[in-house]
Amino acid sequence: MADGMSGDLDVWRCAALMIRRYGGNADLEAHARAQRLLEDGDRAGQQIWLRVTRAITDLINVRPHETMH
């Protein structure tokens, strides 16, 4: 997934899918993927999964009455 996912929209879509699949553990799963990519020497892939991790955190922390800017 890291090869073709670099745009913000792709990151947010991936974050939403991770939340749907892993629920409250989505950020941990995304961070684990980032760590594996770093261990494999894929720094670009690691950076993308760190972006996904941050997006997951943002999505989880948005309250229903809040809007994102």
Side-chain angles (χ1 to χ4, degrees), residues 15-39:
L17 290 170
M18 293 291 288
I19 292 168
R20 183 177 296 151
R21 181 167 185 175
Y22 296 102
N25 293 323
D27 57 339
L28 299 174
E29 179 64 29
H31 191 269
R33 292 178 187 206
Q35 188 61 34
R36 284 193 299 272
L37 287 166
L38 179 61
E39 291 168 3

Side-chain angles (χ1 to χ4, degrees), residues 19-59:
I19 292 168
R20 183 177 296 151
R21 181 167 185 175
Y22 296 102
N25 293 323
D27 57 339
L28 299 174
E29 179 64 29
H31 191 269
R33 292 178 187 206
Q35 188 61 34
R36 284 193 299 272
L37 287 166
L38 179 61
E39 291 168 3
D40 289 343
D42 184 352
R43 181 86 170 138
Q46 183 236 9
Q47 291 300 308
I48 291 169
W49 277 99
L50 289 177
R51 288 174 57 200
V52 172
T53 302
R54 286 189 295 273
I56 289 168
T57 301
D58 289 345
L59 286 173

Side-chain angles (χ1 to χ4, degrees), residues 5-15 51:
M5 183 179 59
S6 60
D8 288 339
L9 184 57
D10 290 332
V11 168
W12 287 100
R13 284 178 178 159
C14 183
R51 288 174 57 200

Side-chain angles (χ1 to χ4, degrees), residues 8 12 58-59 62-63 65-69:
D8 288 339
W12 287 100
D58 289 345
L59 286 173
V62 169
R63 295 189 179 41
H65 64 280
E66 295 179 0
T67 57
M68 295 182 64
H69 302 281

